[in-house]
Amino acid sequence: MLRWLQDYPHFLEWAYRLTHHLFIWLDPLMRRIGYGRVDRWLRPLEEAGKRSVFDCQMCGQCVLHSTGMTCPMTCPKNLRNGPCGGVRANGHCEVIPEMKCIWVAAYERSQKMPIFGPEMILLQPPVNRQLEGSSAWVNMLTGADRQTPLGWIKKD
Amino acid sequence: MKPETLFKSDGRLERVLRSGRFAVTAELNPPDSADPQEVYDAALVLSSVCDAINATDASGANCHMSSVAICALLTRAGYAPILQVSCRDRNRIAIQGDVLGAAAMGVCNVLCLTGDDVTVGDQPQAKRVFDLDSIQLLRTIKIMRDEGVFLSGRKLTVPPRLFLGAAENPFVPPYDWRPLRLAKKMEAGADFIQTQYCFDLPRFRQFMAQVRDLGLHEKLFILVGVGPLRSEKTAEFMRTKVPGVIIPDEIVNRLRHTPGPRKREEGKQICIEIIQQVREIEGVAGVHVMAYRQEELVAEIIEEAGLLPRPLRIGFIAPDPLRRLRKSQEDPPPFDPEP
């Protein structure tokens, strides 16, 4: 298990940035192969990697870097915009008393993240449940993870 | 053309708050009964001492009469309810439909909550939904009100007019992030805030100082949650079993050292003292009184804390939606807050 890596959020945000650039660089190649096929190959790899470090739940729309390198889907209530009001005084979860609230951990980690730490204040849109189980890396390239319901987009 | 109104809803709570008066809301605990009389009995006691009545949505994940149904009963009888919506039991489709229906029945206030988890309730085997979180829910209802569309982008013929509320718990970690999360709720569309039970005043003062530094007290109406404790046993139960309630040892000890028959009085006194102290804090716009099925006690507290009489004349008769012609865009003229 590689969970201890989460205690080095600054290293992880660098790793995130690196893979992000790598995938954008590889994008033309992946488009040629076909995103569907790439998804099938990448998914097991992504799942194995992210699950061992972050306990990834494969929601298919990764926001890890905006949530203190802590997977928000590991919260029993799936909260993506911050902690609920049920956190215990010792900072543990309301639902699983022996687990530290993932948002308490996320906040502590975000303090050590100069690049993506400030993104904690971003408003995360509702989860697209259709993307569950697909590769977030491929969805990032196709833009599927950034698609929000039509009404959500702010009209200015 | 729609006349420009300052108000987002037609309700009394918004008018009391915007006129700068100290607001009082109270919680109505839904009955485990199919008889509407129990709701009316509780509402009769509460309505004369508060500006809006919260209809809880299966609080503590225990099954009771639904909040939409209570709001229907209350609006029919002429009371001003606050519809509580939790994300635990319903997905985005059900919630948007409920909100629209509630607005059609004359509900003017909605409180958006995440909701206690199913495991703390009486049916822990149930499936938890949490399709949206409270902030996404706030934004969704704000979109319905301001843009006149569903989350999907489909148009509403008549958008709901609602005063949007959210909850906050300043008493649990991560303490430093709580004010920032409040800012996020404001950005998502919150107009007023009701906090969790406040017993830890030093912590609350610290929280309010941070809120003032961010300037949030000028854009949000913050109502502080308060409530009486019957005895040290109730206090012990609440701080161990009810999620998110923090009660300092001094208060529990104060109750423990009070002789039996005077415990109820002492608990009430503690609550009144807390109300008087939070009133002094800059940025506090009102109190939200909660007491599980003790409506008479709530009325006594509000009276003895010097919060009566409530500004009754500020009440506003909402236009009957049935009387409004479907095609016409005529709205009632803006309400004068100082009649």
Side-chain angles (χ1 to χ4, degrees), chain B residues 238-257:
Chain B
M238 276 173 65
R239 68 176 180 177
T240 49
K241 293 276 158 30
V242 183
V245 178
I246 305 289
I247 304 175
D249 291 332
E250 304 96 78
I251 290 183
V252 182
N253 287 336
R254 199 174 141 183
L255 281 166
R256 188 169 290 137
H257 296 135

Side-chain angles (χ1 to χ4, degrees), chain A residues 76-77 79-81 83-85 87-89 94-95 103 107 120-122 124-127 129 149-152, chain B residues 92 114-115 117 128 130-133 135-136 139 143 147 151-153 169 172-173 176-178 181 184 243-244:
Chain A
K77 297 186 185 176
L79 302 181
R80 279 167 91 93
N81 278 302
C84 67
V87 185
R88 287 159 201 266
E94 166 195 335
V95 186
W103 281 103
Y107 179 66
M120 285 281 277
I121 56 159
L122 290 185
Q124 299 295 341
V127 183
R129 310 279 169 183
L150 273 177
W152 187 264
Chain B
R92 55 191 95 174
T114 304
D117 190 71
R128 49 175 86 89
F130 297 112
D131 183 26
L132 301 176
D133 65 32
I135 291 179
Q136 294 160 353
R139 177 77 189 271
I143 290 165
E147 317 283 345
L151 197 54
S152 65
N169 190 353
V172 291
D176 290 339
W177 196 25
R178 292 283 166 184
R181 187 166 143 80
K184 212 172 175 178

Side-chain angles (χ1 to χ4, degrees), chain A residues 32-46:
Chain A
R32 282 202 51 203
I33 302 169
Y35 288 123
R37 201 175 293 165
V38 174
D39 183 281
R40 236 172 301 141
W41 296 342
L42 267 182
R43 209 185 313 153
L45 228 117
E46 181 178 344

Side-chain angles (χ1 to χ4, degrees), chain B residues 187-198:
Chain B
E187 194 201 328
D191 300 309
F192 71 97
I193 299 291
Q194 291 181 324
T195 76
Q196 180 59 276
Y197 277 109
C198 171

